[in-house]
Amino acid sequence: MTVIGAIFRPQLPPERLRSVVTAAEEAGLAELWLWEDCFLESGIATAAAALAWTERLRIAIGVLPVPLRNVALTAMEVATLHRLFPGRVTVGVGHGVQQWMAQVGAGAESPLTLLREHLDALRALLRGQEVTTEGRYVRLDAVALGWPPHTPPAVVCAATGPRTLRLSGAAADGTVLHAGTPLDQVRQARRLIDEGRAEAGRTDRHPLIAYVQSGNGDPETVAGIARDRARAGADHVVLEPAGDEPDPEGFVRMAAEVGTLVGKD
């Protein structure tokens, strides 16, 4: 079954989040995605607030930029969310926008190496393991979480290029595709992810999450777009509003209606 979600864009002020989250919860939306774009809003802080304001709605962060974050801190924050709100959180990581990373002095000469090291360490820490590693970018000395999640959570990864897609298949638990990804590239992404999974010997489930720019489309039209993404291999279709969307509460209600239509298939 295809999961339909929606995005709360951080171009909206943080104080607008509560009314959007409430509208999403009341409308029956499956999941609301939050972004940690520089230099707008924190993914962790907004996720914690959204989870506290709701009882059912799943909250996802798509994604935390790894150059900006020490992996131990990310693990502590993610583990805390999962202990407080078990089963309702999805957290993703990614390269981040390289220009933004350079602005804060966090640019990496090899973003792919950094992402792999971060994913490996983050997933190990969230499994409750003690981690010692001396990588090119990630260095930990006998680090273990005091309060790891009761169940190791999935960590998804944003990916675009072939190497990152293969890496995501090998080292992450799901992959996020940006909204500009055409249908043929959604299919190609699934193939590349599966290549990485096969090389790593992984047989666990790996959901593909596709953002879709839905604009002002009516629910029936948007549901058709979501079905196309699902046929191309997407397990989650996450509707992205325009940057100047005047009615974000109405947008999440529309997304919930799309979810009902797609769920009837």
Side-chain angles (χ1 to χ4, degrees), residues 42 44 64 69 72-82 145:
S42 157
I44 296 293
L64 303 173
R69 295 178 148 272
L73 176 60
T74 299
M76 291 165 58
E77 291 180 323
V78 172
T80 300
L81 288 178
H82 278 278
L145 294 176

Side-chain angles (χ1 to χ4, degrees), residues 9 11-12 241-247:
R9 293 179 62 118
Q11 286 78 12
L12 292 167
D244 58 353
E245 168 60 53
D247 182 14

Side-chain angles (χ1 to χ4, degrees), residues 48-256:
L51 289 159
W53 290 327
T54 55
E55 297 293 333
R56 177 204 55 79
L57 181 67
R58 188 171 184 87
I59 300 297
I61 304 173
V63 294
L64 303 173
V66 300
L68 197 61
R69 295 178 148 272
N70 182 283
V71 69
L73 176 60
T74 299
M76 291 165 58
E77 291 180 323
V78 172
T80 300
L81 288 178
H82 278 278
R83 294 283 296 229
L84 290 171
F85 308 100
R88 294 182 55 211
V89 192
T90 298
V91 175
V93 298
H95 292 305
V97 177
Q98 296 307 298
Q99 179 182 344
W100 294 341
M101 300 302 101
Q103 280 183 268
V104 297
E109 185 177 347
S110 177
L112 199 68
T113 300
L114 169 56
L115 183 58
R116 179 60 191 252
E117 292 179 359
H118 194 105
L119 276 167
D120 288 347
L122 178 60
R123 292 178 68 242
L125 289 167
L126 292 175
R127 289 193 297 267
Q129 298 176 7
E130 181 181 284
V131 180
T132 296
T133 182
E134 186 70 23
R136 182 173 177 181
Y137 298 103
V138 175
R139 300 177 180 87
L140 301 173
D141 181 10
V143 174
L145 294 176
W147 297 103
H150 293 298
T151 301
V155 177
V156 303
C157 178
T160 301
R163 292 193 301 165
T164 308
L165 286 163
R166 290 191 185 95
L167 170 60
S168 183
D173 304 302
T175 300
V176 180
L177 303 180
H178 67 79
T181 308
L183 280 174
D184 61 333
Q185 291 185 23
V186 174
R187 299 185 189 97
Q188 176 68 6
R190 174 57 82 181
R191 288 193 292 271
L192 291 165
I193 291 164
D194 288 343
E195 287 177 10
R197 284 164 50 77
E199 291 170 4
R202 296 190 63 171
T203 58
D204 52 335
R205 185 171 177 271
H206 188 107
L208 184 61
I209 301 129
Y211 290 170
V212 172
Q213 291 173 336
S214 52
N216 296 316
D218 63 274
E220 287 284 359
T221 300
V222 177
I225 296 170
R227 292 183 187 105
D228 288 341
R229 290 298 187 281
R231 284 190 288 268
D235 302 288
H236 297 236
V237 177
V238 184
L239 308 182
E240 179 181 330
D244 58 353
E245 168 60 53
D247 182 14
E249 294 85 1
F251 184 85
V252 297
R253 294 188 190 100
M254 182 276 291

Side-chain angles (χ1 to χ4, degrees), residues 3-59:
V3 177
I4 303 297
I7 293 169
F8 175 87
R9 293 179 62 118
Q11 286 78 12
L12 292 167
E15 56 268 25
R16 192 70 183 271
L17 177 63
R18 185 166 192 162
S19 64
V20 176
V21 166
T22 301
E25 172 98 338
E26 292 175 349
L29 185 70
E31 55 188 26
L32 186 71
W33 285 71
L34 307 172
W35 291 355
E36 186 165 89
D37 276 3
C38 297
F39 301 96
L40 296 170
E41 292 163 17
S42 157
I44 296 293
T46 52
L51 289 159
W53 290 327
T54 55
E55 297 293 333
R56 177 204 55 79
L57 181 67
R58 188 171 184 87
I59 300 297

